[in-house]
Amino acid sequence: MVTIGGLITSRMIQTRKASPEKELPYECGIDPVGKSWIQFKASYYLYALVFVVFDVETMFLYPWAAKFQQLGLFAFMEMIIFVGILVLGLWYAWKKGALEWK
């Protein structure tokens, strides 16, 4: 039933025929000049990856901060260790030059 429902829904939603303008790489009204694929430096990727890692890791701090009063000393020490690991990771990324914008 799920497969049949998915097929019927996809047939109802899909566009029938795409216009030539719709198949262009850009839809801003100006014809593209040159290649539409640009090669990025690896340093941009590393910078974004470090940001995402630390952004996700700091999300683990919110539930802990909400229940800080009820958790006690053991949870406080665990969070100190967790933040210490984050600081070590930041130090390592800094040392390797992943945060340098060249």
Side-chain angles (χ1 to χ4, degrees):
M1 287 304 283
V2 173
T3 306
I4 294 171
L7 289 173
I8 292 171
T9 305
S10 68
R11 299 270 181 190
M12 290 173 27
I13 295 175
Q14 74 182 3
T15 57
R16 300 294 180 229
K17 290 184 180 180
S19 65
E21 290 85 17
K22 188 75 172 174
E23 292 179 358
L24 287 175
Y26 300 105
E27 298 179 22
C28 62
I30 301 172
D31 291 333
V33 178
K35 295 180 181 179
S36 61
W37 186 75
I38 300 171
Q39 198 170 21
F40 289 99
K41 293 173 126 182
S43 61
Y44 298 145
Y45 173 73
L46 290 175
Y47 191 78
L49 189 63
V50 168
F51 171 77
V52 168
V53 166
F54 283 103
D55 194 42
V56 169
E57 293 297 325
T58 54
M59 289 302 295
F60 288 115
L61 294 173
Y62 284 111
W64 174 80
K67 295 289 184 176
F68 177 70
Q69 295 289 335
Q70 300 163 347
L71 293 176
L73 183 63
F74 180 71
F76 179 71
M77 296 307 287
E78 283 183 347
M79 193 50 63
I80 293 294
I81 293 169
F82 179 74
V83 171
I85 292 170
L86 287 180
V87 168
L88 282 174
L90 180 62
W91 173 77
Y92 180 76
W94 197 319
K95 180 182 165 191
K96 288 293 184 180
L99 303 177
E100 298 287 328
W101 205 258
K102 298 176 186 176

